[in-house]
Amino acid sequence: MLTSGGRQADLLGDLSALTRRALLKWIRNPAAVLPGFFTALFYIALFGNSFNPTGIVPSNINGFQLTSSELEEVKTAILSQTFGGAATYISYLTAGIICLILVFNMAFGGIDLVLDRQLGFLNTILAAPISRASIYFSGVIQNMVKAMALGFITFAVAILLPNGLMLGKGFGVVDFVGAFGALALLAFALSCVFTALALSVKSIDSLVAIVNFATFPLVFTSTALFPAADFPSWLKAISNFNPITKACNAARLLMINGMLSSSQQISFGWDLAYLAAFAVAMGVVGYLAANKALAPR
Amino acid sequence: MRRLMGSIIEADKLSKLYPPKTKAVDGVSFNVEEGEVFGFLGPNGAGKTTTIKMLTTLASITSGTAKVAGFDVKHESARVRESIGVVPQELTADDELKGVENLMLLGKLHHVPQSEMKEKARELLRLFDLEEASERRVRTYSGGMRRRLQMAMGLVHSPKILFMDEPTLGLDIQTRTKVWEYIKKLNVSGLSVFMTTHYLEEADSLCRRVAIIDHGVIKVLDTPARLKERLGGNVLILEVSNGVDLSEFLRTIPTVSDVSRDGHMYKIKLPKTEDAIPAIVDGITSRGLKITQISFLKPTLDEVFLEVTGRTMREEEGEAQESWVQNVNIGRSSS
Ligand SMILES: Nc1ncnc2c1ncn2[C@@H]1O[C@H](COP(=O)(O)OP(=O)(O)OP(=O)(O)O)[C@@H](O)[C@H]1O
Ligand SMILES: [Mg+2]
């Protein structure tokens, strides 16, 4: 329903008013922003060190002692063969952690929308002559902006950490835009799904239940934390279709390599196309679901 | 009150079924005239909020039809939304925004031009005594301030009709009186109002007509005066110092409909007006008699409500309200 009465409803005006309100609330509440920074730090530092696969290479195998230079070689080989040539495990991990943060923030970002319904704010705006689409898209955008901000923070933290993210040679502005473009497509698609979900449920409890049920399989069937090479074949198949895999593979390719070879460019292009198609599909599905959820009951 | 024109609300056999079988509203029909303050009264769970939700496009209509500001609620909901202001039962202003920001947001969502909106916000903040608090976050507002802000939010776009669901709930007497003044002021400037309330004296003083709804059905609909009249009207009770029979004299007064005597006590029915009281008192004292006690019983909407719903608002509210006997004890002597 894009028209409001005789005149064209001001979709962009409504959208910006609603989005502005949500982001104003967010910025004004440091309790909501600050933990994001620490979450990013913990994820990177904790996963980066405790999961670090190169840290578990033994220097002594059945009495055979590796010299420290041999040990370094083994570690480098692991990184280059299994982890796409990343200089450090954190270099591999960063894109995955950003995806993880996107997923969880997107999923729980819906709580604000459920609160809007519970506190009656939603009814107040529903009684106004605004297009229902602006309510849905403002939900999508506010969630996306909040989560992407944390994504940028995570990226910065990873770079600043000692032995952290070592960007590939020649990584420039275009690569940055490319990497975060892929992540933003994922963020948009997930935001559409979770916004529609949040507009449809009546209570925070049911939102949290569904989110918990949905997010873990989504994350752990992806290559966010580990490459697919060692996955069993069924998992590999699932992982291949998982948009999180596509987004973190695309972002990771750029972060690790900087300049892409032509075959890498093709692989990046396919991932991006997949993500764009997924984003459009989720946008439409979410829109239809949200329209239903916002109709008078 | 403004001169009345057409109907601003036309509800025809409006019903709402909450599955599986809660008939929240069961075929109500009524018209609200343009420029009128219309009161919707009823005990808890009677269906007042549900009716408002249907009329303001927030709840679907199970059966029946409704027109608001000339537009069909079901099929022209966008047009209806342009014409209405809503002050819901709950407080829905955004806690984290300032008072003025809440108003500006609502103005934007109603497509009021920015320049106009600034002026409008100032005007409303002044009207509702919120000027000083306007730059504070709503989180820091008292309950009364929130209610007033909520009313202001319903008015940012100068609606044709304002729906208010218990606008004075939880307000102290002073604030409540002030809100009545606002409503009267707005009505004088042309606003039609549809309101629900638990306070019957509020309905009595504000509403041109009231409907009493119970179990989703409208039981009576009329002006407060006529509803009270149906209960038999006002009664004047007098005690006179001497046993002389005054019945003949009292019956000669035109607005007196009935007189009964019990010794020194007289029970005088004055169904329409109390204007005759001075004449009665003068007549008695000029006969050299003393009035030793006088009380005036004026039925209120409470009695109407009791008769119609079988419950008093007191039972509903669990709070004591003043007795309907206005005892005007003028003492032992009247000279
Ligand atoms: N969303 C809902 N789902 C199911 N039943 C509902 C819903 N909303 C209201 N009801 C029921 O409909 C009936 C009418 O409720 P409504 O809120 O309209 O009453 P009300 O007259 O506004 O009461 P109050 O004075 O307490 O505000 C009640 O029995 C209530 O339980
Ligand atoms: Mg109610």
Side-chain angles (χ1 to χ4, degrees):
Chain A
M1 205 196 303
L2 278 173
T3 55
S4 153
R7 66 203 154 100
Q8 191 75 16
D10 182 7
L11 174 63
L12 285 183
D14 298 341
L15 185 60
S16 84
L18 289 175
T19 309
R20 196 171 159 268
R21 169 247 171 191
L23 294 180
L24 206 59
K25 271 171 81 105
W26 178 59
I27 290 171
R28 279 191 187 162
N29 186 3
V33 185
L34 225 88
F37 170 77
F38 289 106
T39 311
L41 190 66
F42 287 153
Y43 273 29
I44 296 274
L46 279 175
F47 279 109
N49 292 310
S50 62
F51 277 28
N52 188 353
T54 62
I56 54 174
V57 177
S59 57
N60 186 311
I61 303 164
N62 294 335
F64 183 80
Q65 182 67 41
L66 291 177
T67 66
S68 63
S69 69
E70 283 167 337
L71 191 61
E72 275 315 304
E73 261 174 61
V74 172
K75 288 182 179 181
T76 311
I78 291 176
L79 285 171
S80 74
Q81 282 166 29
T82 312
F83 292 95
T88 59
Y89 176 58
I90 290 182
S91 303
Y92 175 86
L93 193 66
T94 303
I97 294 289
I98 294 175
C99 286
L100 211 77
I101 284 177
L102 290 180
V103 174
F104 285 115
N105 273 281
M106 224 51 93
F108 290 106
I111 287 177
D112 287 346
L113 298 174
V114 181
L115 278 177
D116 277 352
R117 186 187 280 279
Q118 286 183 339
L119 299 178
F121 183 83
L122 184 65
N123 269 346
T124 295
I125 60 177
L126 281 172
I130 58 171
S131 78
R132 315 286 100 168
S134 67
I135 299 175
Y136 164 67
F137 281 114
S138 84
V140 172
I141 294 173
Q142 74 187 57
N143 274 343
M144 206 177 139
V145 170
K146 292 178 196 174
M148 286 301 282
L150 292 180
F152 291 128
I153 291 175
T154 311
F155 183 72
V157 166
I159 287 180
L160 295 175
L161 225 55
N163 270 326
L165 171 60
M166 312 236 171
L167 291 167
K169 270 207 176 65
F171 184 91
V173 176
V174 177
D175 308 287
F176 179 84
V177 171
F180 275 90
L183 292 169
L185 283 174
L186 175 72
F188 177 83
L190 293 175
S191 192
C192 291
V193 175
F194 286 117
T195 297
L197 177 68
L199 290 174
S200 309
V201 298
K202 295 282 179 335
S203 76
I204 292 180
D205 286 351
S206 41
L207 180 77
V208 170
I210 297 171
V211 159
N212 277 338
F213 175 78
T215 48
F216 281 93
L218 208 56
V219 168
F220 289 105
T221 59
S222 78
T223 58
L225 299 175
F226 235 75
D230 295 326
F231 286 178
S233 56
W234 61 269
L235 187 56
K236 218 180 268 182
I238 296 174
S239 158
N240 252 331
F241 287 103
N242 189 331
I244 298 177
T245 298
K246 304 287 181 192
C248 61
N249 283 359
R252 182 175 282 153
L253 202 61
L254 283 169
M255 289 184 196
I256 292 177
N257 299 292
M259 299 284 281
L260 297 186
S261 69
S262 59
S263 70
Q264 284 172 330
Q265 277 174 6
I266 290 170
S267 138
F268 177 82
W270 277 117
D271 285 348
L272 213 59
Y274 185 94
L275 286 167
F278 182 66
V280 170
M282 292 305 106
V284 173
V285 169
Y287 175 72
L288 295 176
N291 243 355
K292 212 170 154 213
L294 292 174
R297 272 179 267 197
Chain B
M1 197 154 303
R2 214 169 76 105
R3 112 194 103 98
L4 306 177
M5 282 136 93
S7 293
I8 191 114
I9 303 178
E10 298 164 51
D12 187 22
K13 303 194 196 72
L14 206 54
S15 297
K16 177 72 183 179
L17 174 80
Y18 284 117
K21 52 181 183 156
T22 309
K23 276 223 151 181
V25 176
D26 196 358
V28 304
S29 301
F30 59 89
N31 280 20
V32 174
E33 307 304 323
E34 202 172 342
E36 173 174 49
V37 179
F38 188 89
F40 221 47
L41 316 179
N44 287 135
K48 305 183 292 295
T49 298
T50 306
T51 304
I52 285 197
K53 286 211 164 135
M54 284 192 283
L55 293 175
T56 56
T57 76
L58 294 176
S60 64
I61 295 170
T62 308
S63 67
T65 56
K67 276 187 167 187
V68 172
F71 299 112
D72 186 272
V73 172
K74 207 174 196 166
H75 300 109
E76 296 168 293
S77 44
R79 298 305 295 269
V80 170
R81 289 182 197 123
E82 284 173 2
S83 317
I84 60 171
V86 184
V87 182
Q89 188 167 357
E90 65 271 35
L91 298 164
T92 67
D94 191 323
D95 263 13
E96 295 305 320
L97 298 187
K98 297 169 186 170
V100 65
E101 287 173 338
N102 269 292
L103 288 183
M104 296 301 284
L105 175 64
L106 260 285
K108 264 215 180 116
L109 297 180
H110 281 94
H111 310 130
V112 183
Q114 185 82 9
S115 50
E116 243 174 76
M117 192 49 223
K118 282 212 176 104
E119 185 48 45
K120 188 78 191 177
R122 243 198 308 275
E123 178 191 321
L124 286 169
L125 289 166
R126 196 172 331 119
L127 179 64
F128 289 99
D129 289 325
L130 288 169
E131 280 166 306
E132 277 171 25
S134 69
E135 290 295 326
R136 268 165 49 194
R137 303 225 191 138
V138 173
R139 180 156 42 83
T140 68
Y141 281 25
S142 75
M145 292 162 81
R146 281 167 190 256
R147 278 257 161 241
R148 282 179 285 153
L149 178 65
Q150 198 74 48
M151 286 183 68
M153 285 166 65
L155 290 165
V156 285
H157 53 297
S158 319
K160 289 203 180 91
I161 174 160
L162 185 67
F163 289 87
M164 295 195 289
D165 203 350
E166 316 210 5
T168 58
L169 190 71
L171 294 182
D172 64 24
I173 302 285
Q174 285 98 313
T175 319
R176 206 187 302 165
T177 319
K178 245 187 181 159
V179 168
W180 297 359
E181 278 166 24
Y182 298 143
I183 296 172
K184 281 180 183 158
K185 220 187 271 182
L186 294 165
N187 179 241
V188 167
S189 63
L191 181 73
S192 311
V193 177
F194 181 96
M195 62 184 284
T196 75
T197 179
H198 270 141
Y199 301 111
L200 297 172
E201 50 336 337
E202 174 166 303
D204 203 350
S205 91
L206 280 178
C207 301
R208 196 179 80 94
R209 289 187 306 149
V210 300
I212 296 181
I213 180 173
D214 196 13
H215 301 299
V217 179
I218 290 184
K219 302 283 184 169
V220 290
L221 193 168
D222 214 330
T223 63
R226 273 206 288 271
L227 287 176
K228 288 182 287 188
E229 218 173 277
R230 292 201 336 197
L231 287 183
N234 313 319
V235 178
L236 182 70
I237 295 172
L238 291 176
E239 190 187 38
V240 184
S241 60
N242 192 306
V244 184
D245 192 347
L246 292 165
S247 305
E248 277 312 306
F249 155 67
L250 292 169
R251 285 202 181 93
T252 61
I253 294 172
T255 52
V256 171
S257 70
D258 188 37
V259 178
S260 57
R261 177 181 173 223
D262 179 10
H264 292 205
M265 299 283 291
Y266 293 88
K267 200 169 160 196
I268 305 155
K269 284 201 171 175
L270 296 162
K272 293 226 159 64
T273 159
E274 57 248 45
D275 293 352
I277 295 177
I280 294 172
V281 172
D282 283 351
I284 295 171
T285 46
S286 69
R287 282 172 170 76
L289 301 170
K290 273 186 181 170
I291 297 173
T292 48
Q293 184 158 342
I294 179 167
S295 49
F296 185 58
L297 297 141
K298 192 173 180 169
T300 65
L301 277 183
D302 287 86
E303 279 70 54
V304 179
F305 191 86
L306 173 65
E307 181 161 290
V308 168
T309 67
R311 275 165 289 181
T312 64
M313 264 299 176
R314 245 154 301 170
E315 286 162 32
E316 280 301 316
E317 287 290 302
E319 84 175 34
Q321 288 189 352
E322 66 263 52
S323 153
W324 68 290
V325 179
Q326 294 177 11
N327 219 327
V328 196
N329 197 329
I330 58 167
R332 294 282 122 202
S333 121
S334 68
S335 52

PDB file of all heavy atoms in Angstrom, chain A residues 53-71:
ATOM      1  N   PRO A  53      44.283 -22.688  15.355  1.00  0.00           N
ATOM      2  CA  PRO A  53      44.734 -24.035  15.003  1.00  0.00           C
ATOM      3  C   PRO A  53      46.255 -24.140  14.881  1.00  0.00           C
ATOM      4  O   PRO A  53      46.818 -25.225  15.052  1.00  0.00           O
ATOM      5  CB  PRO A  53      44.054 -24.296  13.662  1.00  0.00           C
ATOM      6  CG  PRO A  53      43.736 -22.966  13.106  1.00  0.00           C
ATOM      7  CD  PRO A  53      43.574 -22.034  14.248  1.00  0.00           C
ATOM      8  N   THR A  54      46.930 -23.029  14.625  1.00  0.00           N
ATOM      9  CA  THR A  54      48.385 -23.122  14.499  1.00  0.00           C
ATOM     10  C   THR A  54      49.027 -23.212  15.875  1.00  0.00           C
ATOM     11  O   THR A  54      50.166 -23.641  16.008  1.00  0.00           O
ATOM     12  CB  THR A  54      48.966 -21.898  13.756  1.00  0.00           C
ATOM     13  OG1 THR A  54      48.675 -20.714  14.513  1.00  0.00           O
ATOM     14  CG2 THR A  54      48.401 -21.778  12.372  1.00  0.00           C
ATOM     15  N   GLY A  55      48.269 -22.843  16.911  1.00  0.00           N
ATOM     16  CA  GLY A  55      48.813 -22.905  18.271  1.00  0.00           C
ATOM     17  C   GLY A  55      48.845 -24.319  18.808  1.00  0.00           C
ATOM     18  O   GLY A  55      49.517 -24.604  19.807  1.00  0.00           O
ATOM     19  N   ILE A  56      48.131 -25.246  18.134  1.00  0.00           N
ATOM     20  CA  ILE A  56      48.070 -26.599  18.688  1.00  0.00           C
ATOM     21  C   ILE A  56      48.985 -27.576  17.948  1.00  0.00           C
ATOM     22  O   ILE A  56      48.927 -28.778  18.170  1.00  0.00           O
ATOM     23  CB  ILE A  56      46.620 -27.137  18.698  1.00  0.00           C
ATOM     24  CG1 ILE A  56      46.005 -27.043  17.294  1.00  0.00           C
ATOM     25  CG2 ILE A  56      45.767 -26.379  19.697  1.00  0.00           C
ATOM     26  CD1 ILE A  56      44.636 -27.673  17.184  1.00  0.00           C
ATOM     27  N   VAL A  57      49.837 -27.052  17.095  1.00  0.00           N
ATOM     28  CA  VAL A  57      50.802 -27.937  16.433  1.00  0.00           C
ATOM     29  C   VAL A  57      51.871 -28.339  17.452  1.00  0.00           C
ATOM     30  O   VAL A  57      52.520 -27.475  18.031  1.00  0.00           O
ATOM     31  CB  VAL A  57      51.469 -27.216  15.238  1.00  0.00           C
ATOM     32  CG1 VAL A  57      52.517 -28.110  14.589  1.00  0.00           C
ATOM     33  CG2 VAL A  57      50.425 -26.781  14.220  1.00  0.00           C
ATOM     34  N   PRO A  58      52.031 -29.649  17.693  1.00  0.00           N
ATOM     35  CA  PRO A  58      53.031 -30.076  18.685  1.00  0.00           C
ATOM     36  C   PRO A  58      54.447 -29.941  18.112  1.00  0.00           C
ATOM     37  O   PRO A  58      54.666 -30.131  16.923  1.00  0.00           O
ATOM     38  CB  PRO A  58      52.679 -31.532  18.944  1.00  0.00           C
ATOM     39  CG  PRO A  58      51.953 -31.974  17.715  1.00  0.00           C
ATOM     40  CD  PRO A  58      51.323 -30.768  17.084  1.00  0.00           C
ATOM     41  N   SER A  59      55.391 -29.575  18.977  1.00  0.00           N
ATOM     42  CA  SER A  59      56.769 -29.441  18.488  1.00  0.00           C
ATOM     43  C   SER A  59      57.502 -30.777  18.568  1.00  0.00           C
ATOM     44  O   SER A  59      58.544 -30.974  17.965  1.00  0.00           O
ATOM     45  CB  SER A  59      57.506 -28.366  19.287  1.00  0.00           C
ATOM     46  OG  SER A  59      57.463 -28.705  20.663  1.00  0.00           O
ATOM     47  N   ASN A  60      56.912 -31.714  19.281  1.00  0.00           N
ATOM     48  CA  ASN A  60      57.536 -33.021  19.416  1.00  0.00           C
ATOM     49  C   ASN A  60      56.525 -34.085  19.028  1.00  0.00           C
ATOM     50  O   ASN A  60      55.483 -34.231  19.661  1.00  0.00           O
ATOM     51  CB  ASN A  60      57.989 -33.211  20.873  1.00  0.00           C
ATOM     52  CG  ASN A  60      58.781 -34.504  21.044  1.00  0.00           C
ATOM     53  OD1 ASN A  60      58.352 -35.566  20.596  1.00  0.00           O
ATOM     54  ND2 ASN A  60      59.945 -34.401  21.687  1.00  0.00           N
ATOM     55  N   ILE A  61      56.822 -34.814  17.913  1.00  0.00           N
ATOM     56  CA  ILE A  61      55.901 -35.852  17.460  1.00  0.00           C
ATOM     57  C   ILE A  61      56.576 -37.205  17.596  1.00  0.00           C
ATOM     58  O   ILE A  61      57.554 -37.494  16.908  1.00  0.00           O
ATOM     59  CB  ILE A  61      55.473 -35.608  15.991  1.00  0.00           C
ATOM     60  CG1 ILE A  61      54.834 -34.205  15.855  1.00  0.00           C
ATOM     61  CG2 ILE A  61      54.516 -36.681  15.518  1.00  0.00           C
ATOM     62  CD1 ILE A  61      54.741 -33.719  14.436  1.00  0.00           C
ATOM     63  N   ASN A  62      56.071 -38.060  18.511  1.00  0.00           N
ATOM     64  CA  ASN A  62      56.650 -39.383  18.772  1.00  0.00           C
ATOM     65  C   ASN A  62      58.181 -39.323  18.912  1.00  0.00           C
ATOM     66  O   ASN A  62      58.899 -40.098  18.289  1.00  0.00           O
ATOM     67  CB  ASN A  62      56.288 -40.378  17.654  1.00  0.00           C
ATOM     68  CG  ASN A  62      54.784 -40.650  17.651  1.00  0.00           C
ATOM     69  OD1 ASN A  62      54.126 -40.491  18.687  1.00  0.00           O
ATOM     70  ND2 ASN A  62      54.270 -41.040  16.501  1.00  0.00           N
ATOM     71  N   GLY A  63      58.624 -38.365  19.670  1.00  0.00           N
ATOM     72  CA  GLY A  63      60.063 -38.275  19.911  1.00  0.00           C
ATOM     73  C   GLY A  63      60.822 -37.482  18.865  1.00  0.00           C
ATOM     74  O   GLY A  63      61.992 -37.169  19.032  1.00  0.00           O
ATOM     75  N   PHE A  64      60.115 -37.163  17.780  1.00  0.00           N
ATOM     76  CA  PHE A  64      60.780 -36.376  16.742  1.00  0.00           C
ATOM     77  C   PHE A  64      60.619 -34.899  17.045  1.00  0.00           C
ATOM     78  O   PHE A  64      59.502 -34.374  17.068  1.00  0.00           O
ATOM     79  CB  PHE A  64      60.181 -36.716  15.368  1.00  0.00           C
ATOM     80  CG  PHE A  64      60.865 -35.989  14.237  1.00  0.00           C
ATOM     81  CD1 PHE A  64      62.080 -36.467  13.729  1.00  0.00           C
ATOM     82  CD2 PHE A  64      60.325 -34.824  13.692  1.00  0.00           C
ATOM     83  CE1 PHE A  64      62.708 -35.798  12.697  1.00  0.00           C
ATOM     84  CE2 PHE A  64      60.958 -34.158  12.662  1.00  0.00           C
ATOM     85  CZ  PHE A  64      62.157 -34.651  12.159  1.00  0.00           C
ATOM     86  N   GLN A  65      61.725 -34.240  17.336  1.00  0.00           N
ATOM     87  CA  GLN A  65      61.673 -32.842  17.767  1.00  0.00           C
ATOM     88  C   GLN A  65      61.781 -31.909  16.571  1.00  0.00           C
ATOM     89  O   GLN A  65      62.717 -32.013  15.776  1.00  0.00           O
ATOM     90  CB  GLN A  65      62.842 -32.573  18.746  1.00  0.00           C
ATOM     91  CG  GLN A  65      62.880 -31.162  19.311  1.00  0.00           C
ATOM     92  CD  GLN A  65      61.698 -30.862  20.241  1.00  0.00           C
ATOM     93  OE1 GLN A  65      61.308 -31.719  21.043  1.00  0.00           O
ATOM     94  NE2 GLN A  65      61.126 -29.684  20.104  1.00  0.00           N
ATOM     95  N   LEU A  66      60.779 -31.003  16.422  1.00  0.00           N
ATOM     96  CA  LEU A  66      60.856 -30.001  15.365  1.00  0.00           C
ATOM     97  C   LEU A  66      61.648 -28.813  15.869  1.00  0.00           C
ATOM     98  O   LEU A  66      61.484 -28.397  17.013  1.00  0.00           O
ATOM     99  CB  LEU A  66      59.454 -29.512  14.981  1.00  0.00           C
ATOM    100  CG  LEU A  66      58.511 -30.490  14.263  1.00  0.00           C
ATOM    101  CD1 LEU A  66      57.152 -29.842  14.049  1.00  0.00           C
ATOM    102  CD2 LEU A  66      59.090 -30.917  12.925  1.00  0.00           C
ATOM    103  N   THR A  67      62.520 -28.289  15.055  1.00  0.00           N
ATOM    104  CA  THR A  67      63.197 -27.043  15.428  1.00  0.00           C
ATOM    105  C   THR A  67      62.172 -25.920  15.315  1.00  0.00           C
ATOM    106  O   THR A  67      61.126 -26.076  14.672  1.00  0.00           O
ATOM    107  CB  THR A  67      64.365 -26.723  14.470  1.00  0.00           C
ATOM    108  OG1 THR A  67      63.813 -26.463  13.181  1.00  0.00           O
ATOM    109  CG2 THR A  67      65.346 -27.862  14.401  1.00  0.00           C
ATOM    110  N   SER A  68      62.505 -24.783  15.923  1.00  0.00           N
ATOM    111  CA  SER A  68      61.520 -23.702  15.916  1.00  0.00           C
ATOM    112  C   SER A  68      61.266 -23.196  14.505  1.00  0.00           C
ATOM    113  O   SER A  68      60.154 -22.808  14.159  1.00  0.00           O
ATOM    114  CB  SER A  68      61.963 -22.562  16.839  1.00  0.00           C
ATOM    115  OG  SER A  68      63.157 -22.011  16.343  1.00  0.00           O
ATOM    116  N   SER A  69      62.263 -23.233  13.639  1.00  0.00           N
ATOM    117  CA  SER A  69      62.014 -22.770  12.267  1.00  0.00           C
ATOM    118  C   SER A  69      61.143 -23.770  11.524  1.00  0.00           C
ATOM    119  O   SER A  69      60.273 -23.397  10.737  1.00  0.00           O
ATOM    120  CB  SER A  69      63.326 -22.534  11.526  1.00  0.00           C
ATOM    121  OG  SER A  69      63.968 -23.761  11.287  1.00  0.00           O
ATOM    122  N   GLU A  70      61.363 -25.080  11.810  1.00  0.00           N
ATOM    123  CA  GLU A  70      60.494 -26.088  11.183  1.00  0.00           C
ATOM    124  C   GLU A  70      59.047 -25.913  11.658  1.00  0.00           C
ATOM    125  O   GLU A  70      58.098 -26.012  10.864  1.00  0.00           O
ATOM    126  CB  GLU A  70      60.987 -27.504  11.532  1.00  0.00           C
ATOM    127  CG  GLU A  70      62.195 -27.911  10.726  1.00  0.00           C
ATOM    128  CD  GLU A  70      62.862 -29.169  11.279  1.00  0.00           C
ATOM    129  OE1 GLU A  70      62.682 -29.468  12.486  1.00  0.00           O
ATOM    130  OE2 GLU A  70      63.550 -29.840  10.516  1.00  0.00           O
ATOM    131  N   LEU A  71      58.909 -25.636  12.946  1.00  0.00           N
ATOM    132  CA  LEU A  71      57.587 -25.425  13.515  1.00  0.00           C
ATOM    133  C   LEU A  71      56.879 -24.257  12.821  1.00  0.00           C
ATOM    134  O   LEU A  71      55.699 -24.336  12.462  1.00  0.00           O
ATOM    135  CB  LEU A  71      57.713 -25.144  15.022  1.00  0.00           C
ATOM    136  CG  LEU A  71      56.413 -25.164  15.823  1.00  0.00           C
ATOM    137  CD1 LEU A  71      55.743 -26.529  15.757  1.00  0.00           C
ATOM    138  CD2 LEU A  71      56.696 -24.798  17.277  1.00  0.00           C
TER     139      LEU A  71
END
